[in-house]
Amino acid sequence: MTTQEAVAEPVTVPKAVAGVPGRRRARWTPWLYLAPALVVLGALLVYPIYQLGLISLLKYTQAQVSGGEPTAFEGFGNYTALFADDQFRQVLIATLVFAAACVLSTLAVGCALAVLLTRVRALPRLALMLAALGAWATPAVTGSTVWLFLFDPDFGPANRVLGIGDHSWTYGRYSAFALVLLEVVWCSFPFVMVTVYAGIRAVPSEVLEAAALDGASQWRIWRSVLAPLLRPILVVVTIQSVIWDFKVFTQIYVMTNGGGIAGQNLVLNVYAYQKAFASSQYGLGSAIGVVMLVILLAVTLVYLRLLRRQGEEL
């Protein structure tokens, strides 16, 4: 064999040597980049969740906190008492219905305004975007206080414009929920609007022009063209809205003065606060927190599963 033939002859590397270490390295590389964030999240989330679950299994009231009585293990006694409570079931149903109404209203307003942004000129579009982002950036306490003033029976301008005199919106159960819903939608729709608007701008204009030339109405274009193309984005904003609206606390607490008359406007977050801090039943309040965590975890798992199915489109 000559020197040229030896140089030209390729060197064969066993597949087991060349492939396996590379695959292992590629498989662990993303986890190495995520490791710092996972450590921080573990410190901030895992330990509080562990403490929440532990307290929910104990008899833990003010007597145990002050050291007057020893802490006793209750097992699932707090959960049994919780699900046997008629008020808890009513609050759970009210929370689910209220969160669903908030999510549907937020999606409707956000999607409608996202389509409107594509139809107006630059200056009105900029004004609408700035107004929406201002609402989004407003703290929940401030926004709730402003909405209370707008619908105040004595000094609010809303009653004067509607011509309903000194009607108190926070006195009735459904009117109070409606008022809180308006505030929640007001501070939540900008996220949906901006996200959906970005998705619409990514749709090729030829597709929309072809649908318009075929005589499709705006509603038909949205239902048959835009909605299917924006399905991954709509999944994201829907699940995010569900998580946010299910955990509403500030708006209900501020606008209904802690849950309304006789607790008629309680939601799970406010109910847990009352049980844990107002009644000093920390074990029962923690059990409510665990129930909320399980519900939101189920929603999050569905969210991740849908994202994985739509992974190529995202």
Side-chain angles (χ1 to χ4, degrees), residues 43 50 56 59 68 70 87 89 100-101 126 136 138 141 158 168-169 202-203 208 221 231 235:
Y50 163 75
S56 71
K59 182 182 179 181
Q87 187 181 19
R89 292 195 293 268
L126 178 62
W136 196 12
T138 302
V141 175
S168 177
W169 291 81
V203 175
L208 302 179
I221 291 175
R231 186 175 292 113
V235 168

Side-chain angles (χ1 to χ4, degrees), residues 83-306:
F83 285 100
D85 186 4
D86 292 335
Q87 187 181 19
F88 169 75
R89 292 195 293 268
Q90 294 174 3
V91 172
L92 176 61
I93 295 173
T95 304
L96 294 175
V97 174
F98 176 74
C102 289
V103 170
L104 293 177
S105 302
T106 302
L107 291 176
V109 173
C111 292
L113 291 178
V115 175
L116 179 63
L117 286 176
T118 64
R119 303 294 177 183
V120 298
R121 296 182 180 273
L123 188 58
R125 180 166 59 246
L126 178 62
L128 180 56
M129 292 281 286
L130 291 177
L133 293 177
W136 196 12
T138 302
V141 175
T142 305
S144 301
T145 305
V146 170
W147 276 81
L148 274 180
F149 170 75
L150 292 176
F151 289 86
D152 185 84
D154 298 321
F155 306 103
N159 285 7
R160 299 178 185 178
V161 173
L162 297 174
I164 55 177
D166 58 351
H167 173 73
S168 177
W169 291 81
T170 58
Y171 182 79
R173 183 187 187 193
Y174 298 107
S175 61
F177 269 130
L179 183 59
V180 177
L181 182 144
L182 290 176
E183 201 280 334
V184 171
V185 173
W186 174 75
C187 67
S188 301
F189 83 85
F191 170 73
V192 178
M193 184 190 73
V194 173
T195 307
V196 175
Y197 172 71
I200 294 175
R201 299 297 295 179
V203 175
S205 58
E206 295 81 4
V207 176
L208 302 179
E209 292 174 358
L213 291 175
D214 289 339
S217 62
Q218 294 299 323
W219 168 248
R220 185 62 183 272
I221 291 175
W222 167 262
R223 187 184 64 179
S224 302
V225 180
L226 286 176
L229 293 175
L230 298 176
R231 186 175 292 113
I233 294 177
L234 294 176
V235 168
V236 172
V237 297
T238 300
I239 301 302
Q240 291 282 11
S241 298
V242 169
I243 294 174
W244 289 342
D245 295 340
F246 189 79
K247 299 189 302 179
V248 166
F249 174 85
T250 305
Q251 291 88 341
I252 289 286
Y253 193 83
V254 173
M255 300 179 72
T256 65
N257 195 21
I261 300 173
Q264 63 181 2
N265 296 113
L266 284 174
V267 292
L268 282 179
N269 244 349
V270 181
Y271 186 61
Y273 174 82
Q274 287 189 354
K275 289 295 182 182
F277 297 102
S279 302
S280 298
Q281 301 181 48
Y282 302 107
L284 199 59
S286 298
I288 299 173
V290 171
V291 171
M292 292 183 61
L293 177 64
V294 171
I295 295 174
L296 290 177
L297 182 61
V299 174
T300 304
L301 291 177
V302 172
Y303 161 66
L304 293 175
R305 185 175 180 182
L306 291 173

